[in-house]
């Protein structure tokens, strides 16, 4: 969210030129694509059954500008054609409406020990902002504690499909860029928006790509000096049950990281 500037919603531009979607662009497109077989982790999401997304080597995808840029960085020779594309120009890309809120949340969390009630509560409030930008975009029932019944979730004054989609696409693009930088002899077990489980040491994950560079620049604005990847835990064996459910019976003695190693 801290990457979003002031948007000119009144003058969207229809564009079919792939190169116009490169850089800090608030763009969305329907693309036809084909990755080479050498690409380890395909970039573009394709809708499957239910709410599942599949990342395949070829197909047609609704995507964002960051995903187009990541795909061309990973696979410069890929086949890609924009079937329909829209770009929302920046009124001022350097004025970031969400930045003060993000900075405030980080500063307030830092006042309390990690894992404490106050720290976790402030984190929940911060994470809720992004959720509100997508509120009511899809039909969904929630439990209303006041009415004691299930009601359909309505849109919020913060609901904005452009902000919501751009944020999701930016994260997917960054993850794809990082995953494809992992050496082939290393394993990737599970990757989520806040967890990267791999046998690759941190030094082997390339964080110099265009998406990582832009993400680090946004991070420096709200949390100067904070790295985008940090080592949290180490173990000698992983049993992956499902997303966010991993187990081990072999603890790595070096998992007791020193404070300076925890960043």
């Amino acid at each position: 969210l801290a990457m979003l500037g002031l948007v000119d919603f009144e003058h969207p531009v229809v564009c079919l030129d792939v190169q116009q979607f490169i850089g800090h662009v608030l763009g969305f497109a329907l693309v036809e694509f084909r990755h080479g077989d050498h690409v380890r982790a395909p970039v573009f999401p394709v809708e499957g059954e239910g709410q599942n997304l599949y990342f395949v080597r070829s197909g047609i995808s609704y995507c964002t500008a960051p995903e187009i840029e990541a795909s061309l960085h990973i696979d410069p020779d890929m086949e890609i054609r924009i079937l329909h594309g829209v770009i929302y120009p920046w009124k001022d890309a350097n004025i970031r409406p969400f930045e003060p809120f993000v900075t405030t949340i980080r500063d307030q969390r830092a006042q309390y020990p990690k894992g404490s009630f106050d720290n976790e509560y402030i984190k929940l409030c911060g994470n809720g902002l992004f959720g509100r930008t997508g509120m009511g975009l899809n039909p969904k029932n929630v439990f209303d504690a006041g009415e004691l019944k299930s009601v359909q979730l309505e849109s919020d004054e913060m609901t904005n499909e452009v902000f919501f989609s751009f944020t999701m696409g930016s994260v997917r693009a960054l993850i794809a860029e990082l995953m494809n930088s992992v050496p082939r002899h290393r394993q990737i077990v599970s990757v989520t928006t806040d967890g990267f489980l791999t046998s690759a040491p941190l030094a082997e994950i390339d964080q110099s790509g265009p998406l990582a560079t832009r993400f680090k620049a946004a991070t420096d604005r709200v949390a100067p000096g904070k790295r985008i990847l940090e080592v949290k835990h180490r173990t000698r064996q992983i049993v992956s049950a499902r997303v966010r459910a991993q187990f081990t019976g072999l603890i790595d003695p070096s998992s007791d990281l020193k404070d300076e190693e925890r960043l």
Side-chain angles (χ1 to χ4, degrees):
L1 289 174
M3 297 171 68
L4 286 162
L6 290 181
V7 183
D8 185 357
F9 284 109
E10 297 180 354
H11 302 95
V13 178
V14 175
C15 181
L16 302 180
D17 182 1
V18 172
Q19 294 304 315
Q20 295 301 312
F21 288 81
I22 305 301
H24 187 38
V25 178
L26 187 61
F28 308 88
L30 176 66
V31 301
E32 185 176 20
F33 66 94
R34 179 179 297 276
H35 275 303
D37 292 339
H38 64 282
V39 174
R40 181 174 191 173
V43 177
F44 294 110
V46 174
E47 292 185 5
E49 297 179 357
Q51 296 182 343
N52 293 318
L53 292 179
Y54 296 98
F55 294 84
V56 295
R57 296 192 182 280
S58 63
I60 295 178
S61 172
Y62 288 100
C63 65
T64 61
E67 290 164 294
I68 293 175
E69 183 174 18
S71 69
L72 291 172
H73 172 70
I74 294 164
D75 187 8
D77 297 324
M78 73 173 295
E79 300 175 23
I80 181 170
R81 181 166 67 100
I82 295 180
L83 304 177
H84 182 69
V86 176
I87 294 175
Y88 290 92
W90 301 114
K91 284 185 176 180
D92 191 327
N94 200 45
I95 297 178
R96 311 289 175 89
F98 291 104
E99 191 172 78
F101 178 83
V102 176
T103 303
T104 299
I105 289 295
R106 284 186 173 273
D107 290 344
Q108 290 188 358
R109 285 189 66 194
Q111 298 177 26
Y112 301 97
K114 190 170 183 179
S116 66
F117 174 83
D118 293 301
N119 185 289
E120 292 298 313
Y121 178 74
I122 295 171
K123 176 182 178 181
L124 183 64
C125 292
N127 291 344
L129 175 63
F130 169 64
R132 294 180 83 86
T133 65
M135 226 167 140
L137 291 179
N138 289 320
K140 180 180 179 181
N141 289 335
V142 296
F143 181 73
D144 187 325
E147 298 293 332
L148 296 178
K149 64 179 182 180
S150 179
V151 298
Q152 184 165 328
L153 185 65
E154 297 181 354
S155 61
D156 183 75
E157 60 183 6
M158 294 294 295
T159 300
N160 186 299
E161 59 269 36
V162 171
F163 293 163
F164 184 80
S165 299
F166 176 79
T167 305
M168 290 288 289
S170 296
V171 173
R172 287 196 299 261
L174 173 63
I175 288 175
E177 185 178 273
L178 295 173
M179 289 177 66
N180 280 283
S181 77
V182 175
R184 286 289 185 145
H185 66 281
R186 301 297 189 185
Q187 289 182 310
I188 299 176
V189 179
S190 175
V191 182
T192 60
T193 52
D194 59 356
F196 200 113
L197 185 55
T198 176
S199 62
L202 190 58
E204 291 184 358
I205 302 177
D206 185 4
Q207 300 177 50
S208 64
L211 277 301
T213 299
R214 195 173 304 129
F215 193 85
K216 283 189 287 188
T219 301
D220 283 338
R221 292 175 63 121
V222 298
K226 184 72 172 178
R227 301 185 183 185
I228 64 174
L229 289 180
E230 61 181 8
V231 178
K232 304 292 287 188
H233 305 285
R234 293 192 183 100
T235 184
R236 290 185 292 154
Q237 182 189 67
I238 285 290
V239 177
S240 181
R242 55 174 297 173
V243 177
R244 299 182 186 275
Q246 283 83 34
F247 307 92
T248 184
L250 297 174
I251 301 297
D252 189 336
S254 64
S255 61
D256 295 329
L257 302 178
K258 299 177 181 178
D259 289 341
E260 60 268 24
E261 291 178 307
R262 292 187 184 277
L263 308 178

